[in-house]
Amino acid sequence: MAEELTGLADDRALLGRTSTAERVSDILRSRIAEGYFPPGTRLSEDSIGGALGVSRNTLREAFRLLTHERLLVHELNRGVFVRVLTVDDVEDIYRTRTLVECAVVRGLGQPPYALEDLAAAVAEGQRAAREGDWKGVSTANIHFHRELVALAGSERTDELMRSVFAELRLAFHVVANPRRLHEPYLARNEQILRTLQAGQHERAEQLLAAYLDDSRAGLVEVYGRRVADTGQGRGA
């Protein structure tokens, strides 16, 4: 046991670095999701490390974490880039969303459900639409689905879908007309909310499945065209 404890003590120095790296990755994940670093952007170690006041090793660890989450990609002799999703990536994201989100709604059990945060996300989207803030509508839409997943009360599911939603935002940022993409789903978000408020989770699952299928088809169409037009395709 003494030998094992000695080895563990040697790892203590990693705690501060890992903790800092995780905090840095949280910051960068949020910035990527917000479009601050658009898909295809090369991330400069010197600039970002200097801005955040962290060491190169810490930043590289943060990059590694985000690469594992498929938000960044490392290209040999070129550096680290924000990923540009392929159409196959988008299709796979929606397969995952359908499996998880529909399962969450299916497993809700008997009403009433804790829908306050879901209702707040619907209101957030409607408010952003009134202000003509279509990026805000996109963010509110992600919040709606995040809160829908949160109804499962599972930290593991929340963690899984956090990465999935962050990847989804990579596709949203490439689309030229966000209003056309997001506006139709404001009313559908509210419809799902009202259906759950009425305690009809089976009907809500049906609405959600159709919603996700339509959203997938629409995004694949406009995203595929946009990526082809810009010649982007940095995926794996």
Side-chain angles (χ1 to χ4, degrees):
M1 177 62 73
E3 182 176 347
E4 286 82 353
L5 289 176
T6 299
L8 198 58
D10 291 339
D11 290 338
R12 187 167 62 182
L14 298 176
L15 291 175
R17 190 181 74 185
T18 300
S19 177
T20 303
E22 288 174 350
R23 291 197 296 270
V24 170
S25 68
D26 286 342
I27 292 169
L28 294 178
R29 185 187 302 104
S30 296
R31 290 295 192 173
I32 291 168
E34 293 165 2
Y36 187 84
F37 299 115
T41 301
R42 182 181 180 276
L43 301 185
S44 166
E45 288 186 1
D46 291 339
S47 298
I48 295 174
L52 294 176
V54 297
S55 70
R56 181 164 295 189
N57 283 342
T58 295
L59 187 60
R60 287 177 176 173
E61 175 64 11
F63 284 171
R64 187 192 66 79
L65 293 171
L66 295 176
T67 299
H68 181 71
E69 293 181 22
R70 301 176 59 82
L71 296 178
L72 302 180
V73 58
H74 179 266
E75 295 192 0
L76 189 62
N77 299 324
R78 295 196 65 218
V80 175
F81 295 81
V82 179
R83 286 188 72 228
V84 176
L85 301 183
T86 65
V87 172
D88 285 345
D89 288 327
V90 176
E91 294 270 14
D92 192 40
I93 286 169
Y94 272 87
R95 279 192 294 270
T96 302
R97 292 187 65 192
T98 299
L99 283 169
V100 174
E101 293 186 48
C102 289
V104 167
V105 175
R106 188 184 316 127
L108 284 178
Q110 296 301 312
Y113 312 121
L115 301 174
E116 294 80 8
D117 291 338
L118 199 66
V122 169
E124 177 190 354
Q126 293 170 340
R127 183 169 55 252
R130 288 194 299 270
E131 296 171 356
D133 178 9
W134 299 105
K135 181 179 177 181
V137 171
S138 169
T139 297
N141 188 50
I142 293 292
H143 289 169
F144 175 84
H145 290 277
R146 185 186 66 195
E147 297 303 337
L148 192 69
V149 169
L151 293 174
S154 166
E155 292 183 4
R156 290 174 179 81
T157 305
D158 291 344
E159 182 73 16
L160 166 67
M161 295 306 292
R162 181 183 70 168
S163 295
V164 171
F165 291 140
E167 272 197 272
L168 182 63
R169 293 293 289 267
L170 295 180
F172 286 168
H173 292 316
V174 176
V175 173
N177 189 341
R179 176 173 184 172
R180 181 180 176 186
L181 183 66
H182 300 298
E183 188 173 29
Y185 296 94
L186 290 167
R188 295 177 78 164
N189 286 348
E190 184 172 12
Q191 184 184 23
I192 291 171
L193 171 64
R194 301 303 175 210
T195 303
L196 288 173
Q197 287 174 331
Q200 301 172 354
H201 72 90
E202 292 181 356
R203 174 59 179 157
E205 183 191 352
Q206 294 171 354
L207 293 171
L208 178 61
Y211 173 125
L212 290 173
D213 191 50
D214 291 344
S215 179
R216 175 199 56 77
L219 182 57
V220 164
E221 179 185 358
V222 298
Y223 182 78
R225 185 165 59 244
R226 178 70 172 171
V227 170
D229 289 346
T230 58
Q232 291 178 306
R234 188 178 286 110

